Amino acid sequence: MSNDVTTAILTALNLNVAFGEQVILDSASLSIHEGDRIGLVGRNGAGKSTFLKIISDLMPPDSGDVARMNGLVVGFLSQEFTLDENKNVYENIKDGAKKLLDMVTEYENLPYDSPQRDMLEKKIEEADAWNIDKKITILMKALSTPDKERSIINLSGGEKRRTALCRALISQPDLLILDEPTNHLDTDSIEWIENYLSNYEGTCIFVTHDRYFLDRIATRIVELSQGKFISHQGNYTDFLVNKSEREAIKEAEENKRQNFLRRELEWVRRGPKARTTKAKSRLDNFYEVESIENAEVELDVDLVIPPAERLGNKVLELKNISVELGGKLLIENLFYNFQSGRKIGIVGKNGIGKTTLLRVMMGDLAPTNGQIDIGENTQFNYVDQSRLILDDEDTVFRAVSDGNDYVVFGKHQMSTWTYLRRFLFTDDRINTLVGRLSGGERSRLTLAKILKSGGNFIMLDEPTNDLDLATLRVLEEAIIGFGGCVVVVSHDRYFLNRVCNTIMAFEGDGKVYLSEGNYDYFIEKRKVRRKDDKLEEVKEKKGDTRVKEKKKKLTWNEQKELESIEEVIMEAEGEVDRIEAIFAAPDFYDKYAEQTKEITAQLETAKAKVKALYTRWEELEAKRDSAV
């Protein structure tokens, strides 16, 4: 959706924020328009969370203004959310709907003939405020929150976050602000949130490291880089393309500048005797271009995992493992033989036993039944999701060095200083106290501290939480290139697809399903399994004969339709590409500003046609396959 055709509901103008010498926002400006779904991206420590707090009116900028539409209702889920520990789960969630409930109470207390009743009743119906209790129940189930009577004090970090997310969503704000909403959510809950936001009628701005989430939900990506906002229309994939083009242009301009300086420097060194007006102008031009600062290059984490010591023929074998905790069966009769080069992703709902399996594999927890056989050369290295291993009073250097100036890498060594620079710690940050680091910097420091310990069997429990997108990409490359065995517990679907060659899925009631391949392939196979399970249920209820009698072959027309549908889909997708190219054109607003609504409608129609064609294709193939 083009921002030119919708109303700006919030405008941040010339914001400046600095923490000591670190500039976070540098005269940064951004407008948020009605209906926007903005994905805010940038390095950890770039200022994303700070900006969200400013527009939520929770902190003031050093200078600058934030203008809001009259009566704008804002809902905010921060990373440092707070819940009322004197109330239970349900009461905390209901607090999020306080304004709606107050409106209902006001309506009920008004005299029957009050002129305000009609106005309030209309507002209540628009917000569907009569059904708040029902909506809370639906939200709690979808996000797998704890029981509504549970005390906040006894909840885990993940349970508290899901409760706070429910509270933010039930408020039904005009502007919904979410800081890392997918942290500590399982894949089913994340997919539910995606569907919720896809149909959300308000405006949303969110920070997340979940690239699939960004791709599905964002209609606009705003990058915060070097204190400034850079806006990109489209989703995360569009942003990557646009940024690549922008960086290429910037690089070409810098090369052109450097070539000019080299040519002019040769002329200056020749020292012409006659300083004519023309020559003086040329010299002034040289000094002017020379004074321009070099384009600042964003550095990537040069994440390194120490080379793995060679694993033996036997790595780790689980033999008929069963685990029961607190009367709940988490794992039943699990057999698996881990091998060198395996990159295994463990998925499943929260609290279903994934972390428990890691503890069993390392020998920290004895299984209820079964045997664990660990190879002689197997050396575990465990990155815990709790991340509670840093001392706030340590400097970054002391936290990693353990009193040593060098980090050992197999038969080689590297200075601790150089090692930390590879994790994007500059010289001044290396001497900073851990307690003063941002959440993302703490995560990078934790990885640096643990990964330097080596090991040839690495276990990562939710490693993607709090890491920025650039660091995530480098972590993926490091794991892919690691020669040992890796086990990853994660809800990050993009991460699982890039890294894993095996998926181990916890499906409840002790069942653990193994699937070769990445996460997408596992999902594809799971759909087939569930379809087969439903078919078996039908067979059991109605009998094989009756099921078979209902099978129908494709008609002649349907067969012809199936044979030609791929070509029709390609044509429809070509039409989508054609319209999107119009939006992407640099002269779009010059040529088509007055036709924006019309072209947007054409694009939505074209996309809907593609979606309908794919649905029809699946229907025809399913009918064909069922008749075999």
Side-chain angles (χ1 to χ4, degrees):
M1 182 181 295
S2 172
N3 289 335
D4 283 15
V5 298
T6 56
T7 305
I9 61 173
L10 184 146
T11 299
L13 189 63
N14 295 325
L15 298 184
N16 288 286
V17 174
F19 299 124
E21 296 183 359
Q22 187 179 9
V23 176
I24 300 297
L25 298 175
D26 183 10
S27 297
S29 299
L30 180 68
S31 289
I32 300 174
H33 293 252
E34 193 174 54
D36 270 346
R37 291 188 180 88
I38 298 174
L40 182 60
V41 302
R43 297 274 187 189
N44 283 328
K48 302 186 297 297
S49 295
T50 297
F51 175 69
L52 296 187
K53 289 176 183 175
I54 290 172
I55 63 175
S56 300
D57 210 18
L58 294 178
M59 72 171 285
D62 296 339
S63 63
D65 297 299
V66 177
R68 299 172 179 84
M69 184 178 69
N70 287 337
L72 183 72
V73 178
V74 176
F76 181 37
L77 174 70
S78 70
Q79 290 196 55
E80 306 87 18
F81 60 86
T82 55
L83 296 171
D84 190 339
E85 294 187 348
N86 295 317
K87 296 181 178 180
N88 62 27
V89 168
Y90 188 83
E91 291 166 339
N92 269 278
I93 295 172
K94 200 166 185 176
D95 280 347
K98 185 177 185 305
K99 289 186 178 181
L100 297 176
L101 294 170
D102 287 347
M103 194 162 55
V104 172
T105 301
E106 183 183 353
Y107 172 84
E108 291 174 341
N109 290 329
L110 282 172
Y112 180 77
D113 57 352
S114 171
Q116 284 184 278
R117 281 179 66 92
D118 289 341
M119 180 187 68
L120 274 175
E121 186 174 15
K122 185 178 179 181
K123 287 184 177 179
I124 291 169
E125 287 178 351
E126 286 177 352
D128 195 19
W130 302 118
N131 296 312
I132 288 298
D133 289 335
K134 181 180 179 181
K135 287 185 172 183
I136 291 175
T137 301
I138 293 171
L139 275 174
M140 291 180 67
K141 182 178 180 181
L143 296 177
S144 302
T145 59
D147 184 85
K148 63 181 184 178
E149 300 296 334
R150 287 273 302 277
S151 168
I152 296 297
I153 298 175
N154 299 324
L155 300 185
S156 67
E159 289 173 327
K160 288 179 180 178
R161 186 163 191 83
R162 294 196 295 278
T163 301
L165 180 55
C166 274
R167 184 180 63 180
L169 294 179
I170 200 64
S171 65
Q172 298 176 230
D174 303 312
L175 176 59
L176 180 60
I177 303 172
L178 303 172
D179 197 351
E180 295 291 0
T182 64
N183 276 5
H184 306 293
L185 296 183
D186 57 52
T187 50
D188 288 342
S189 296
I190 292 171
E191 288 172 5
W192 185 91
I193 287 288
E194 289 174 348
N195 291 328
Y196 178 91
L197 292 179
S198 294
N199 298 309
Y200 185 62
E201 294 182 357
T203 303
C204 183
I205 180 170
F206 53 89
V207 172
T208 182
H209 64 266
D210 189 319
R211 287 154 287 183
Y212 278 154
F213 191 90
L214 283 166
D215 245 1
R216 279 202 63 192
I217 304 305
T219 58
R220 180 179 166 206
I221 300 292
V222 173
E223 182 183 15
L224 179 53
S225 177
Q226 299 167 25
K228 304 286 189 184
F229 293 114
I230 306 165
S231 185
H232 303 261
Q233 286 299 126
N235 61 13
Y236 182 67
T237 300
D238 298 324
F239 157 71
L240 290 178
V241 173
N242 293 339
K243 182 173 183 179
S244 176
E245 292 171 352
R246 179 164 53 86
E247 294 294 335
I249 292 170
K250 188 189 296 184
E251 184 180 355
E253 289 174 349
E254 179 60 21
N255 289 338
K256 184 177 179 181
R257 189 179 79 93
Q258 293 294 339
N259 289 333
F260 168 81
L261 289 175
R262 278 193 293 271
R263 290 194 305 270
E264 295 302 285
L265 185 59
E266 292 175 6
W267 179 83
V268 170
R269 283 173 174 168
R270 287 200 298 268
K273 295 178 181 178
R275 292 297 183 194
T276 63
T277 302
K278 186 175 180 180
K280 186 176 183 303
S281 174
R282 185 172 176 179
L283 191 60
D284 290 342
N285 190 29
F286 166 76
Y287 287 124
E288 182 180 344
V289 174
E290 185 189 37
S291 67
I292 299 173
E293 291 186 7
N294 291 348
E296 190 169 340
V297 178
E298 288 190 352
L299 300 175
D300 278 330
V301 176
D302 188 10
L303 194 151
V304 283
I305 300 177
E309 293 290 330
R310 185 177 177 277
L311 285 162
N313 292 330
K314 180 185 292 182
V315 177
L316 173 68
E317 191 171 358
L318 305 179
K319 299 178 179 178
N320 199 29
I321 295 296
S322 293
V323 179
E324 186 176 327
L325 289 177
K328 183 179 180 181
L329 182 63
L330 299 178
I331 303 168
E332 183 179 24
N333 302 331
L334 175 61
F335 289 87
Y336 191 72
N337 186 17
F338 293 85
Q339 297 175 344
S340 181
R342 288 283 89 186
K343 309 292 192 303
I344 299 160
I346 301 182
V347 301
K349 291 182 178 294
N350 292 313
I352 205 168
K354 303 186 299 295
T355 300
T356 299
L357 177 61
L358 301 188
R359 293 178 59 201
V360 169
M361 288 162 58
M362 290 186 297
D364 292 345
L365 179 68
T368 307
N369 292 304
Q371 181 181 342
I372 302 168
D373 202 352
I374 302 174
E376 291 183 4
N377 297 337
T378 301
Q379 301 170 7
F380 293 114
N381 192 352
Y382 179 43
V383 181
D384 189 343
Q385 65 173 323
S386 64
R387 311 282 175 89
L388 298 178
I389 58 170
L390 298 174
D391 183 347
D392 286 350
E393 299 304 314
D394 272 345
T395 63
V396 170
F397 182 84
R398 284 201 305 269
V400 168
S401 68
D402 297 324
N404 299 314
D405 290 332
Y406 292 92
V407 175
V408 176
F409 280 78
K411 298 178 181 179
H412 306 284
Q413 62 182 19
M414 175 190 301
S415 76
T416 306
W417 208 267
T418 300
Y419 179 70
L420 283 167
R421 283 176 181 157
R422 291 192 167 198
F423 285 83
L424 284 192
F425 288 102
T426 56
D427 290 355
D428 58 322
R429 298 303 280 174
I430 289 174
N431 285 319
T432 299
L433 291 178
V434 170
R436 296 180 181 175
L437 299 180
S438 69
E441 287 175 318
R442 290 180 72 95
S443 293
R444 290 206 309 270
L445 183 60
T446 301
L447 286 172
K449 182 177 176 67
I450 297 179
L451 293 178
K452 79 181 182 69
S453 302
N456 49 24
F457 195 119
I458 295 179
M459 299 187 197
L460 304 170
D461 199 350
E462 296 291 359
T464 64
N465 285 350
D466 301 319
L467 295 182
D468 59 40
L469 296 172
T471 305
L472 270 176
R473 289 194 294 270
V474 180
L475 175 60
E476 288 164 355
E477 294 298 332
I479 293 174
I480 290 168
F482 182 66
C485 191
V486 179
V487 173
V488 181
V489 175
S490 180
H491 300 308
D492 189 324
R493 297 155 292 176
Y494 198 104
F495 185 86
L496 291 167
N497 268 334
R498 282 213 67 204
V499 167
C500 298
N501 49 34
T502 304
I503 298 295
M504 185 178 287
F506 280 65
E507 300 190 335
D509 298 324
K511 296 176 183 176
V512 181
Y513 178 78
L514 291 162
S515 172
E516 291 294 319
N518 64 11
Y519 183 75
D520 277 350
Y521 184 61
F522 155 70
I523 292 296
E524 184 181 327
K525 289 177 68 178
R526 187 177 68 177
K527 287 179 181 177
V528 174
R529 281 193 295 123
R530 288 179 175 178
K531 182 179 177 182
D532 290 343
D533 289 343
K534 286 181 180 179
L535 185 60
E536 287 299 320
E537 288 177 14
V538 172
K539 287 180 179 180
E540 288 177 9
K541 290 179 180 179
K542 298 184 177 181
D544 275 349
T545 304
R546 293 180 63 183
V547 172
K548 289 175 182 176
E549 286 175 354
K550 291 187 176 182
K551 291 182 179 179
K552 292 183 179 180
K553 294 184 179 181
L554 291 174
T555 65
W556 187 85
N557 286 333
E558 287 173 334
Q559 182 63 41
K560 290 297 180 183
E561 184 182 1
L562 180 58
E563 290 172 0
S564 62
I565 198 167
E566 287 189 58
E567 186 176 346
V568 176
I569 289 174
M570 289 177 65
E571 291 175 1
E573 289 179 331
E575 177 64 8
V576 172
D577 292 341
R578 182 188 70 79
I579 300 172
E580 288 183 336
I582 294 174
F583 277 107
D587 58 353
F588 172 78
Y589 291 106
D590 294 332
K591 287 186 176 181
Y592 304 103
E594 297 180 357
Q595 299 172 256
T596 302
K597 281 188 177 180
E598 180 185 343
I599 298 173
T600 301
Q602 290 175 5
L603 179 59
E604 293 303 317
T605 301
K607 286 182 175 180
K609 182 178 179 180
V610 170
K611 185 177 180 181
L613 284 168
Y614 272 111
T615 301
R616 179 59 176 162
W617 190 11
E618 290 174 0
E619 290 173 356
L620 292 170
E621 286 198 321
K623 186 175 180 180
R624 180 197 62 190
D625 295 343
S626 66
V628 176

